[in-house]
Amino acid sequence: MTDTHLSEASNSNSSILNKPMLRRTYKDAVNALNSLQSNFATIDAVRKSGINRSPVLIPEMIEWARRIGYKPSDLDKLNIVHVTGTKGKGSTCAFVNSILSQFRSPATFVRSGVSPVIAEPEATSPITTTTTASSAPPPPPPSTLGTSRITKIGLYTSPHLKSVRERIMINGKPVSEELFARYFFEVWDRLDKSTSDTTVFPHMGPGVKPAYFRYLTLLSFHTFIREGVDSAVFEVGIGGEYDSTNIIEHPTACGIATLGLDHTQVLGNTLESIAWNKSGIFKPGSACFSVRQTDEAATKMIEERAKEKQVGSFEWVDVRPDVQELKLGINGDFQVQNASLAVALCYAHLQKLGFNIDTDTLPDQFINGLEQARWPGRCQVLPDKLRNDLIWYIDGAHTKESIEGSTHWFTTVTNPERSRVLLFNQQTRDPERLLNVLHNEMEKGKLRFDHVVFTTNVTWSSGDYSEDLVSLNTSSQQVDSLQVQTLSAEIWNKLDKKSRKHIFHDIETGVNFIRSLEGPLDVFVCGSLHLVGGFLVVLESKEGKMVNGL
């Protein structure tokens, strides 16, 4: 399940890749997709080799797209909003998707009952900018500008929580299993029937498929084009400059959410280098935005890159007072920044498509979209269906900044009179740094956990993963030996000797244990989106019904 950008699928001699695809069910598609994950040993070897493949990643992605029948210019018809960042990029995409849904035709889709504003295309005043690049090239051809009508909205995000289909949504819903399987194998067959010049692309020989995240990105392009999507929101996987999504040539708008130190082995170990990589999504002639960054070097880098990329306009986005007054659909006081960025992106996108949008006040459609936005696994509250004195507080925070924000949120919503439990795992990042931040935020709120539970990301007590959550990217030896969980428990014991520490091999056993504790209980689940995804699968299974939110 973990996204990898290090190499193409290297297990081309596996039985799944070589045997004919006869049944072609959704399960077959998921199994074939999982075979494209790079295993832990491969990833570790590439990292230790020091080989930098970054310069060839975009040319290779363009070549993969050619082999399934597309040129980068074919993506213009999708009218793409492109979003990157370290913290908040997924939430920003969710806000953008929700706002745009208010303008979708037919109007019956609008849940609030407010009719979309559909206007004839006309000249509109550009958004006021604080920085405008000089000598910008001409805008994209008129065919990419739209006709002030949105009928289908695509949303491509990562990672998924429970089902890989969540990554590819149309009109707010994951594509069906039937549709996923159909388009998955259309891409698969096109790759099998086409070849690349290995003197130019030595890593794209016979039998080789794109790595997991690259394949899904190709699949999203194919699905959205085949389904007639005319507005799309794409979340970057890792970085920006060399990301699989960055073959998009003419986005309607580009946005950068808050930056932080993450994926440093790929992006560099300074905020300046990360800012360079993230701002790689800026495109000539496009409206580009970023939230204010706390690091001066990162700020300067983003501004320099906007000029270098000859963007149509660049604007720093501040928190909007009118957004602060709303009850946003996604919890967490830090979401006002992501929501403000989403507003700027939607203004630019809709104006590019020819909508006549009032920029002086926040339109009702924007208000409804922000208030109705949902993003499962991010500051999500779920009352337990089996115990009325148990509430789960869930956030997939996995960086220093996001752990800080989500823990602060938990301290503001938990009941001080109730017992508190932490359910935590982080299998690939430094747990000590994250746990220190988490503990400090709890201390600021004058709160502590009575029980702290550490598990792996294994879903079931049988030792199996849910099929959509299989991950080959982590060390099986570390998982089986509970190495990370033992270390985490030792770290927490130094921070708080009074709380009781518990280690379990899987999420299901951890959930069962927590449900056995004396209540009333407030449980904070965090540390990893993979943990949160497995947790939601377990919770759904135990309750015998779908968990609301998707």
mmCIF file of all heavy atoms in Angstrom, residues 186-226:
data_model
loop_
_atom_site.group_PDB
_atom_site.id
_atom_site.type_symbol
_atom_site.label_atom_id
_atom_site.label_comp_id
_atom_site.label_asym_id
_atom_site.label_seq_id
_atom_site.Cartn_x
_atom_site.Cartn_y
_atom_site.Cartn_z
ATOM 1 N N GLU A 186 -7.376 -2.467 -18.782
ATOM 2 C CA GLU A 186 -7.152 -1.776 -20.052
ATOM 3 C C GLU A 186 -5.750 -1.173 -20.077
ATOM 4 O O GLU A 186 -5.035 -1.286 -21.081
ATOM 5 C CB GLU A 186 -8.208 -0.677 -20.255
ATOM 6 C CG GLU A 186 -9.577 -1.201 -20.646
ATOM 7 C CD GLU A 186 -10.582 -0.099 -20.907
ATOM 8 O OE1 GLU A 186 -10.196 1.091 -20.864
ATOM 9 O OE2 GLU A 186 -11.756 -0.428 -21.158
ATOM 10 N N VAL A 187 -5.334 -0.549 -18.975
ATOM 11 C CA VAL A 187 -3.980 0.000 -18.870
ATOM 12 C C VAL A 187 -2.958 -1.128 -18.931
ATOM 13 O O VAL A 187 -1.941 -1.043 -19.639
ATOM 14 C CB VAL A 187 -3.821 0.822 -17.576
ATOM 15 C CG1 VAL A 187 -2.361 1.204 -17.344
ATOM 16 C CG2 VAL A 187 -4.695 2.073 -17.620
ATOM 17 N N TRP A 188 -3.212 -2.196 -18.191
ATOM 18 C CA TRP A 188 -2.306 -3.345 -18.138
ATOM 19 C C TRP A 188 -2.061 -3.903 -19.541
ATOM 20 O O TRP A 188 -0.914 -4.140 -19.949
ATOM 21 C CB TRP A 188 -2.912 -4.415 -17.241
ATOM 22 C CG TRP A 188 -2.026 -5.575 -16.908
ATOM 23 C CD1 TRP A 188 -1.789 -6.679 -17.679
ATOM 24 C CD2 TRP A 188 -1.260 -5.746 -15.715
ATOM 25 N NE1 TRP A 188 -0.935 -7.532 -17.030
ATOM 26 C CE2 TRP A 188 -0.596 -6.992 -15.824
ATOM 27 C CE3 TRP A 188 -1.085 -4.986 -14.568
ATOM 28 C CZ2 TRP A 188 0.240 -7.477 -14.833
ATOM 29 C CZ3 TRP A 188 -0.256 -5.478 -13.564
ATOM 30 C CH2 TRP A 188 0.406 -6.709 -13.700
ATOM 31 N N ASP A 189 -3.151 -4.097 -20.295
ATOM 32 C CA ASP A 189 -3.036 -4.683 -21.633
ATOM 33 C C ASP A 189 -2.313 -3.743 -22.592
ATOM 34 O O ASP A 189 -1.531 -4.185 -23.441
ATOM 35 C CB ASP A 189 -4.423 -5.021 -22.182
ATOM 36 C CG ASP A 189 -5.065 -6.193 -21.446
ATOM 37 O OD1 ASP A 189 -4.332 -6.929 -20.753
ATOM 38 O OD2 ASP A 189 -6.302 -6.355 -21.557
ATOM 39 N N ARG A 190 -2.588 -2.446 -22.488
ATOM 40 C CA ARG A 190 -1.909 -1.495 -23.367
ATOM 41 C C ARG A 190 -0.402 -1.496 -23.110
ATOM 42 O O ARG A 190 0.390 -1.373 -24.043
ATOM 43 C CB ARG A 190 -2.481 -0.093 -23.164
ATOM 44 C CG ARG A 190 -3.910 0.061 -23.662
ATOM 45 C CD ARG A 190 -4.395 1.497 -23.532
ATOM 46 N NE ARG A 190 -5.797 1.618 -23.896
ATOM 47 C CZ ARG A 190 -6.437 2.775 -24.051
ATOM 48 N NH1 ARG A 190 -5.773 3.923 -23.864
ATOM 49 N NH2 ARG A 190 -7.718 2.812 -24.375
ATOM 50 N N LEU A 191 -0.013 -1.649 -21.852
ATOM 51 C CA LEU A 191 1.411 -1.718 -21.531
ATOM 52 C C LEU A 191 2.032 -3.005 -22.069
ATOM 53 O O LEU A 191 3.163 -3.008 -22.568
ATOM 54 C CB LEU A 191 1.615 -1.617 -20.019
ATOM 55 C CG LEU A 191 1.285 -0.261 -19.388
ATOM 56 C CD1 LEU A 191 1.343 -0.345 -17.872
ATOM 57 C CD2 LEU A 191 2.246 0.822 -19.891
ATOM 58 N N ASP A 192 1.283 -4.122 -21.968
ATOM 59 C CA ASP A 192 1.787 -5.398 -22.463
ATOM 60 C C ASP A 192 1.982 -5.388 -23.977
ATOM 61 O O ASP A 192 2.878 -6.053 -24.508
ATOM 62 C CB ASP A 192 0.825 -6.531 -22.087
ATOM 63 C CG ASP A 192 1.059 -7.051 -20.683
ATOM 64 O OD1 ASP A 192 2.136 -6.772 -20.123
ATOM 65 O OD2 ASP A 192 0.172 -7.726 -20.137
ATOM 66 N N LYS A 193 1.126 -4.634 -24.674
ATOM 67 C CA LYS A 193 1.146 -4.637 -26.136
ATOM 68 C C LYS A 193 2.044 -3.547 -26.732
ATOM 69 O O LYS A 193 2.106 -3.406 -27.950
ATOM 70 C CB LYS A 193 -0.279 -4.486 -26.668
ATOM 71 C CG LYS A 193 -1.175 -5.670 -26.345
ATOM 72 C CD LYS A 193 -2.619 -5.411 -26.763
ATOM 73 C CE LYS A 193 -3.519 -6.578 -26.381
ATOM 74 N NZ LYS A 193 -4.943 -6.309 -26.709
ATOM 75 N N SER A 194 2.698 -2.791 -25.873
ATOM 76 C CA SER A 194 3.553 -1.708 -26.354
ATOM 77 C C SER A 194 4.965 -1.889 -25.804
ATOM 78 O O SER A 194 5.182 -2.616 -24.838
ATOM 79 C CB SER A 194 2.994 -0.347 -25.926
ATOM 80 O OG SER A 194 2.930 -0.255 -24.512
ATOM 81 N N THR A 195 5.922 -1.243 -26.440
ATOM 82 C CA THR A 195 7.311 -1.345 -26.000
ATOM 83 C C THR A 195 7.957 0.034 -25.979
ATOM 84 O O THR A 195 7.453 0.986 -26.578
ATOM 85 C CB THR A 195 8.125 -2.257 -26.942
ATOM 86 O OG1 THR A 195 8.074 -1.718 -28.274
ATOM 87 C CG2 THR A 195 7.588 -3.674 -26.937
ATOM 88 N N SER A 196 9.077 0.110 -25.286
ATOM 89 C CA SER A 196 9.875 1.329 -25.233
ATOM 90 C C SER A 196 11.254 1.052 -25.780
ATOM 91 O O SER A 196 11.740 -0.086 -25.755
ATOM 92 C CB SER A 196 9.985 1.831 -23.787
ATOM 93 O OG SER A 196 8.730 2.177 -23.255
ATOM 94 N N ASP A 197 11.901 2.080 -26.291
ATOM 95 C CA ASP A 197 13.276 1.973 -26.767
ATOM 96 C C ASP A 197 14.194 1.915 -25.551
ATOM 97 O O ASP A 197 14.392 2.905 -24.848
ATOM 98 C CB ASP A 197 13.604 3.194 -27.632
ATOM 99 C CG ASP A 197 15.006 3.138 -28.224
ATOM 100 O OD1 ASP A 197 15.804 2.288 -27.796
ATOM 101 O OD2 ASP A 197 15.295 3.968 -29.118
ATOM 102 N N THR A 198 14.763 0.747 -25.293
ATOM 103 C CA THR A 198 15.561 0.562 -24.068
ATOM 104 C C THR A 198 16.912 1.269 -24.142
ATOM 105 O O THR A 198 17.593 1.390 -23.124
ATOM 106 C CB THR A 198 15.783 -0.932 -23.785
ATOM 107 O OG1 THR A 198 16.325 -1.561 -24.950
ATOM 108 C CG2 THR A 198 14.480 -1.604 -23.398
ATOM 109 N N THR A 199 17.299 1.764 -25.315
ATOM 110 C CA THR A 199 18.515 2.581 -25.370
ATOM 111 C C THR A 199 18.247 3.963 -24.788
ATOM 112 O O THR A 199 19.161 4.635 -24.313
ATOM 113 C CB THR A 199 19.021 2.735 -26.818
ATOM 114 O OG1 THR A 199 18.036 3.420 -27.605
ATOM 115 C CG2 THR A 199 19.304 1.369 -27.433
ATOM 116 N N VAL A 200 16.975 4.371 -24.812
ATOM 117 C CA VAL A 200 16.570 5.651 -24.224
ATOM 118 C C VAL A 200 16.025 5.451 -22.826
ATOM 119 O O VAL A 200 16.290 6.241 -21.913
ATOM 120 C CB VAL A 200 15.514 6.350 -25.107
ATOM 121 C CG1 VAL A 200 15.087 7.684 -24.482
ATOM 122 C CG2 VAL A 200 16.029 6.552 -26.514
ATOM 123 N N PHE A 201 15.273 4.351 -22.651
ATOM 124 C CA PHE A 201 14.643 4.053 -21.362
ATOM 125 C C PHE A 201 15.079 2.659 -20.890
ATOM 126 O O PHE A 201 14.344 1.677 -21.033
ATOM 127 C CB PHE A 201 13.115 4.110 -21.487
ATOM 128 C CG PHE A 201 12.590 5.432 -21.963
ATOM 129 C CD1 PHE A 201 12.153 5.596 -23.275
ATOM 130 C CD2 PHE A 201 12.531 6.517 -21.107
ATOM 131 C CE1 PHE A 201 11.662 6.815 -23.717
ATOM 132 C CE2 PHE A 201 12.046 7.747 -21.535
ATOM 133 C CZ PHE A 201 11.616 7.903 -22.849
ATOM 134 N N PRO A 202 16.291 2.558 -20.347
ATOM 135 C CA PRO A 202 16.841 1.248 -19.990
ATOM 136 C C PRO A 202 16.081 0.527 -18.884
ATOM 137 O O PRO A 202 16.212 -0.688 -18.739
ATOM 138 C CB PRO A 202 18.274 1.581 -19.543
ATOM 139 C CG PRO A 202 18.243 3.033 -19.184
ATOM 140 C CD PRO A 202 17.252 3.650 -20.100
ATOM 141 N N HIS A 203 15.281 1.258 -18.095
ATOM 142 C CA HIS A 203 14.534 0.621 -17.007
ATOM 143 C C HIS A 203 13.127 0.207 -17.435
ATOM 144 O O HIS A 203 12.310 -0.171 -16.599
ATOM 145 C CB HIS A 203 14.438 1.581 -15.817
ATOM 146 C CG HIS A 203 15.756 1.978 -15.241
ATOM 147 N ND1 HIS A 203 16.507 1.141 -14.449
ATOM 148 C CD2 HIS A 203 16.492 3.118 -15.372
ATOM 149 C CE1 HIS A 203 17.630 1.743 -14.092
ATOM 150 N NE2 HIS A 203 17.636 2.943 -14.641
ATOM 151 N N MET A 204 12.839 0.293 -18.725
ATOM 152 C CA MET A 204 11.488 0.014 -19.207
ATOM 153 C C MET A 204 11.500 -1.108 -20.237
ATOM 154 O O MET A 204 10.834 -1.041 -21.275
ATOM 155 C CB MET A 204 10.864 1.292 -19.784
ATOM 156 C CG MET A 204 10.722 2.400 -18.762
ATOM 157 S SD MET A 204 10.143 3.973 -19.436
ATOM 158 C CE MET A 204 8.494 3.555 -19.980
ATOM 159 N N GLY A 205 12.237 -2.172 -19.930
ATOM 160 C CA GLY A 205 12.354 -3.302 -20.842
ATOM 161 C C GLY A 205 11.112 -4.179 -20.849
ATOM 162 O O GLY A 205 10.142 -3.939 -20.124
ATOM 163 N N PRO A 206 11.122 -5.241 -21.644
ATOM 164 C CA PRO A 206 9.988 -6.160 -21.745
ATOM 165 C C PRO A 206 9.599 -6.743 -20.389
ATOM 166 O O PRO A 206 10.459 -7.135 -19.598
ATOM 167 C CB PRO A 206 10.509 -7.254 -22.682
ATOM 168 C CG PRO A 206 11.597 -6.589 -23.478
ATOM 169 C CD PRO A 206 12.231 -5.609 -22.545
ATOM 170 N N GLY A 207 8.318 -6.781 -20.121
ATOM 171 C CA GLY A 207 7.814 -7.367 -18.878
ATOM 172 C C GLY A 207 7.811 -6.438 -17.689
ATOM 173 O O GLY A 207 7.254 -6.775 -16.644
ATOM 174 N N VAL A 208 8.434 -5.263 -17.835
ATOM 175 C CA VAL A 208 8.489 -4.322 -16.712
ATOM 176 C C VAL A 208 7.236 -3.456 -16.711
ATOM 177 O O VAL A 208 6.786 -2.989 -17.760
ATOM 178 C CB VAL A 208 9.748 -3.436 -16.793
ATOM 179 C CG1 VAL A 208 9.749 -2.393 -15.677
ATOM 180 C CG2 VAL A 208 10.995 -4.306 -16.714
ATOM 181 N N LYS A 209 6.671 -3.242 -15.531
ATOM 182 C CA LYS A 209 5.511 -2.371 -15.375
ATOM 183 C C LYS A 209 5.912 -1.169 -14.511
ATOM 184 O O LYS A 209 6.891 -1.219 -13.765
ATOM 185 C CB LYS A 209 4.370 -3.122 -14.671
ATOM 186 C CG LYS A 209 3.742 -4.256 -15.470
ATOM 187 C CD LYS A 209 2.913 -3.741 -16.621
ATOM 188 C CE LYS A 209 2.013 -4.832 -17.197
ATOM 189 N NZ LYS A 209 2.719 -6.030 -17.628
ATOM 190 N N PRO A 210 5.156 -0.087 -14.598
ATOM 191 C CA PRO A 210 5.425 1.050 -13.708
ATOM 192 C C PRO A 210 5.253 0.629 -12.252
ATOM 193 O O PRO A 210 4.453 -0.260 -11.941
ATOM 194 C CB PRO A 210 4.349 2.074 -14.102
ATOM 195 C CG PRO A 210 3.829 1.625 -15.426
ATOM 196 C CD PRO A 210 3.999 0.147 -15.469
ATOM 197 N N ALA A 211 5.989 1.273 -11.370
ATOM 198 C CA ALA A 211 5.835 1.001 -9.937
ATOM 199 C C ALA A 211 4.440 1.407 -9.479
ATOM 200 O O ALA A 211 3.706 2.119 -10.174
ATOM 201 C CB ALA A 211 6.905 1.757 -9.149
ATOM 202 N N TYR A 212 4.090 0.961 -8.298
ATOM 203 C CA TYR A 212 2.731 1.056 -7.730
ATOM 204 C C TYR A 212 2.093 2.428 -7.918
ATOM 205 O O TYR A 212 1.013 2.554 -8.519
ATOM 206 C CB TYR A 212 2.834 0.713 -6.248
ATOM 207 C CG TYR A 212 1.540 0.599 -5.479
ATOM 208 C CD1 TYR A 212 0.924 -0.642 -5.303
ATOM 209 C CD2 TYR A 212 0.959 1.701 -4.883
ATOM 210 C CE1 TYR A 212 -0.240 -0.764 -4.568
ATOM 211 C CE2 TYR A 212 -0.212 1.585 -4.147
ATOM 212 C CZ TYR A 212 -0.802 0.352 -3.988
ATOM 213 O OH TYR A 212 -1.962 0.245 -3.267
ATOM 214 N N PHE A 213 2.737 3.488 -7.423
ATOM 215 C CA PHE A 213 2.126 4.810 -7.476
ATOM 216 C C PHE A 213 2.048 5.324 -8.907
ATOM 217 O O PHE A 213 1.066 5.960 -9.305
ATOM 218 C CB PHE A 213 2.910 5.792 -6.604
ATOM 219 C CG PHE A 213 2.293 7.164 -6.554
ATOM 220 C CD1 PHE A 213 1.200 7.414 -5.738
ATOM 221 C CD2 PHE A 213 2.782 8.198 -7.345
ATOM 222 C CE1 PHE A 213 0.614 8.678 -5.698
ATOM 223 C CE2 PHE A 213 2.209 9.458 -7.304
ATOM 224 C CZ PHE A 213 1.114 9.694 -6.481
ATOM 225 N N ARG A 214 3.067 5.045 -9.704
ATOM 226 C CA ARG A 214 3.046 5.455 -11.100
ATOM 227 C C ARG A 214 1.885 4.796 -11.843
ATOM 228 O O ARG A 214 1.208 5.439 -12.653
ATOM 229 C CB ARG A 214 4.363 5.088 -11.781
ATOM 230 C CG ARG A 214 5.532 5.992 -11.413
ATOM 231 C CD ARG A 214 6.764 5.590 -12.194
ATOM 232 N NE ARG A 214 7.675 6.711 -12.302
ATOM 233 C CZ ARG A 214 8.666 6.788 -13.174
ATOM 234 N NH1 ARG A 214 8.865 5.794 -14.029
ATOM 235 N NH2 ARG A 214 9.452 7.832 -13.219
ATOM 236 N N TYR A 215 1.684 3.514 -11.590
ATOM 237 C CA TYR A 215 0.594 2.801 -12.258
ATOM 238 C C TYR A 215 -0.749 3.424 -11.890
ATOM 239 O O TYR A 215 -1.609 3.639 -12.752
ATOM 240 C CB TYR A 215 0.616 1.315 -11.881
ATOM 241 C CG TYR A 215 -0.242 0.459 -12.795
ATOM 242 C CD1 TYR A 215 0.342 -0.273 -13.816
ATOM 243 C CD2 TYR A 215 -1.630 0.391 -12.640
ATOM 244 C CE1 TYR A 215 -0.435 -1.059 -14.675
ATOM 245 C CE2 TYR A 215 -2.407 -0.378 -13.490
ATOM 246 C CZ TYR A 215 -1.803 -1.099 -14.504
ATOM 247 O OH TYR A 215 -2.582 -1.858 -15.353
ATOM 248 N N LEU A 216 -0.940 3.717 -10.604
ATOM 249 C CA LEU A 216 -2.202 4.321 -10.172
ATOM 250 C C LEU A 216 -2.396 5.705 -10.784
ATOM 251 O O LEU A 216 -3.527 6.089 -11.117
ATOM 252 C CB LEU A 216 -2.255 4.398 -8.646
ATOM 253 C CG LEU A 216 -2.549 3.074 -7.938
ATOM 254 C CD1 LEU A 216 -2.334 3.213 -6.438
ATOM 255 C CD2 LEU A 216 -3.986 2.620 -8.228
ATOM 256 N N THR A 217 -1.316 6.456 -10.944
ATOM 257 C CA THR A 217 -1.430 7.764 -11.573
ATOM 258 C C THR A 217 -1.858 7.614 -13.031
ATOM 259 O O THR A 217 -2.758 8.324 -13.503
ATOM 260 C CB THR A 217 -0.098 8.526 -11.488
ATOM 261 O OG1 THR A 217 0.304 8.615 -10.117
ATOM 262 C CG2 THR A 217 -0.233 9.928 -12.052
ATOM 263 N N LEU A 218 -1.246 6.681 -13.750
ATOM 264 C CA LEU A 218 -1.669 6.395 -15.119
ATOM 265 C C LEU A 218 -3.129 5.971 -15.159
ATOM 266 O O LEU A 218 -3.901 6.401 -16.027
ATOM 267 C CB LEU A 218 -0.801 5.291 -15.722
ATOM 268 C CG LEU A 218 0.661 5.629 -15.999
ATOM 269 C CD1 LEU A 218 1.430 4.362 -16.333
ATOM 270 C CD2 LEU A 218 0.779 6.640 -17.136
ATOM 271 N N LEU A 219 -3.513 5.136 -14.193
ATOM 272 C CA LEU A 219 -4.891 4.655 -14.129
ATOM 273 C C LEU A 219 -5.859 5.803 -13.874
ATOM 274 O O LEU A 219 -6.964 5.838 -14.443
ATOM 275 C CB LEU A 219 -5.019 3.592 -13.038
ATOM 276 C CG LEU A 219 -6.415 2.990 -12.813
ATOM 277 C CD1 LEU A 219 -6.930 2.334 -14.095
ATOM 278 C CD2 LEU A 219 -6.378 1.978 -11.675
ATOM 279 N N SER A 220 -5.465 6.758 -13.047
ATOM 280 C CA SER A 220 -6.346 7.899 -12.778
ATOM 281 C C SER A 220 -6.536 8.738 -14.034
ATOM 282 O O SER A 220 -7.658 9.159 -14.354
ATOM 283 C CB SER A 220 -5.771 8.761 -11.644
ATOM 284 O OG SER A 220 -4.624 9.482 -12.054
ATOM 285 N N PHE A 221 -5.454 8.989 -14.774
ATOM 286 C CA PHE A 221 -5.572 9.731 -16.027
ATOM 287 C C PHE A 221 -6.532 9.015 -16.978
ATOM 288 O O PHE A 221 -7.434 9.628 -17.561
ATOM 289 C CB PHE A 221 -4.204 9.862 -16.710
ATOM 290 C CG PHE A 221 -3.214 10.733 -15.987
ATOM 291 C CD1 PHE A 221 -1.850 10.462 -16.052
ATOM 292 C CD2 PHE A 221 -3.622 11.837 -15.254
ATOM 293 C CE1 PHE A 221 -0.922 11.268 -15.411
ATOM 294 C CE2 PHE A 221 -2.697 12.654 -14.596
ATOM 295 C CZ PHE A 221 -1.349 12.354 -14.676
ATOM 296 N N HIS A 222 -6.312 7.714 -17.144
ATOM 297 C CA HIS A 222 -7.119 6.912 -18.067
ATOM 298 C C HIS A 222 -8.586 6.901 -17.643
ATOM 299 O O HIS A 222 -9.490 7.106 -18.471
ATOM 300 C CB HIS A 222 -6.565 5.489 -18.108
ATOM 301 C CG HIS A 222 -7.301 4.567 -19.025
ATOM 302 N ND1 HIS A 222 -7.433 4.801 -20.378
ATOM 303 C CD2 HIS A 222 -7.970 3.395 -18.783
ATOM 304 C CE1 HIS A 222 -8.139 3.818 -20.928
ATOM 305 N NE2 HIS A 222 -8.467 2.959 -19.987
ATOM 306 N N THR A 223 -8.825 6.675 -16.356
ATOM 307 C CA THR A 223 -10.203 6.614 -15.847
ATOM 308 C C THR A 223 -10.921 7.939 -16.042
ATOM 309 O O THR A 223 -12.069 7.976 -16.527
ATOM 310 C CB THR A 223 -10.197 6.234 -14.356
ATOM 311 O OG1 THR A 223 -9.567 4.960 -14.191
ATOM 312 C CG2 THR A 223 -11.611 6.168 -13.799
ATOM 313 N N PHE A 224 -10.276 9.021 -15.660
ATOM 314 C CA PHE A 224 -10.924 10.335 -15.759
ATOM 315 C C PHE A 224 -11.215 10.711 -17.207
ATOM 316 O O PHE A 224 -12.279 11.257 -17.515
ATOM 317 C CB PHE A 224 -10.059 11.403 -15.094
ATOM 318 C CG PHE A 224 -9.964 11.284 -13.590
ATOM 319 C CD1 PHE A 224 -8.923 11.896 -12.892
ATOM 320 C CD2 PHE A 224 -10.896 10.555 -12.864
ATOM 321 C CE1 PHE A 224 -8.837 11.802 -11.511
ATOM 322 C CE2 PHE A 224 -10.810 10.448 -11.476
ATOM 323 C CZ PHE A 224 -9.776 11.068 -10.807
ATOM 324 N N ILE A 225 -10.292 10.414 -18.105
ATOM 325 C CA ILE A 225 -10.528 10.739 -19.518
ATOM 326 C C ILE A 225 -11.645 9.868 -20.091
ATOM 327 O O ILE A 225 -12.550 10.373 -20.770
ATOM 328 C CB ILE A 225 -9.228 10.580 -20.329
ATOM 329 C CG1 ILE A 225 -8.243 11.701 -19.951
ATOM 330 C CG2 ILE A 225 -9.503 10.608 -21.831
ATOM 331 C CD1 ILE A 225 -6.868 11.564 -20.575
ATOM 332 N N ARG A 226 -11.617 8.588 -19.782
ATOM 333 C CA ARG A 226 -12.658 7.684 -20.298
ATOM 334 C C ARG A 226 -14.033 8.025 -19.737
ATOM 335 O O ARG A 226 -15.043 7.841 -20.409
ATOM 336 C CB ARG A 226 -12.300 6.228 -19.963
ATOM 337 C CG ARG A 226 -11.170 5.637 -20.774
ATOM 338 C CD ARG A 226 -11.547 5.450 -22.249
ATOM 339 N NE ARG A 226 -12.719 4.592 -22.392
ATOM 340 C CZ ARG A 226 -12.674 3.265 -22.495
ATOM 341 N NH1 ARG A 226 -11.496 2.648 -22.489
ATOM 342 N NH2 ARG A 226 -13.771 2.559 -22.625
#
